[in-house]
Amino acid sequence: MLYADKRALETNLKVDLLAIREKELNFYVSNCQNIGTQAAMLSGFAFAGLMQPLPPEPEVLRVMFLMSTVSGLGLQLVTVITTTLLSMLAPGLALRGPDGAMHQAVDGMIDEYRLGFYTFILGLLAIHGAAISFVWLAFPVVEASILTTCICISLLMLYKYMRRIFIDFALPAGALDTGKFEGAEAVVAGINSGVSDAGEISTLSALISQEQQLATATALFNYRCSNTQLDAACAPRGPAADSSSTIVE
């Protein structure tokens, strides 16, 4: 009975810790879905640009327009694929993976989410470059100059607003908090839990630390297993391998 109660305490504590981490997972999943939706729309604009008839001259502007349009299309499609796979696979790993998979899913999603955001911004810049090339191909000099100025102002405003938003909502250095208990946070959580007995505080802190260490060990084990499988797949097989080992000897 006591053994079962102890195991139930550990299980309930682990579920509560995972619920905290789940909020972080849902945050990144929602962001990936939002970026993927906008990237799909912009890729449609870039594909429509390829369908536009272009004058034969000047050749340099034609090449610049096609390169910018294809680059914007490719970068936005990379963003769509990246965010879609993240929205599908990361929650699946967290839900159906082994013990500690939730932390592995969230930590991996943070890095891939940044990559998707960067490709989205680069694709947006490429589409603006394609627009500048197109106006010089399709319009006379006066109209092209006016439209180019408008596009440059749009880029300047885009940079200004993005920079202001990033500054206004930037996290202070060293103040980033995650759903994972790190360092002395486990001890602080045990003290702030409302438990007065020192032994119970130590036990609760130890359980939290144990769960975090288990998650880290699981991620390290999976990483080593993947490297071992890669080495085994790349290792030579058959008589050639035996002859090479004989030569080395």
Side-chain angles (χ1 to χ4, degrees), residues 12 62 81 143 152 161 168 209 242:
N12 293 333
R62 283 172 53 89
I81 294 299
E143 288 85 346
C152 292
Y161 290 149
D168 291 342
S209 300
D242 298 337

Side-chain angles (χ1 to χ4, degrees), residues 96-108:
R96 307 176 65 183
D99 197 6
M102 172 66 80
H103 303 289
Q104 181 183 355
V106 175
D107 293 339

Side-chain angles (χ1 to χ4, degrees), residues 82-117:
T82 302
T83 54
T84 301
L85 291 178
L86 284 176
S87 301
M88 293 170 53
L89 299 182
L93 174 62
L95 180 64
R96 307 176 65 183
D99 197 6
M102 172 66 80
H103 303 289
Q104 181 183 355
V106 175
D107 293 339
M109 198 172 189
I110 293 174
D111 297 332
E112 298 298 332
Y113 164 76
R114 292 193 184 116
L115 175 62
F117 178 75

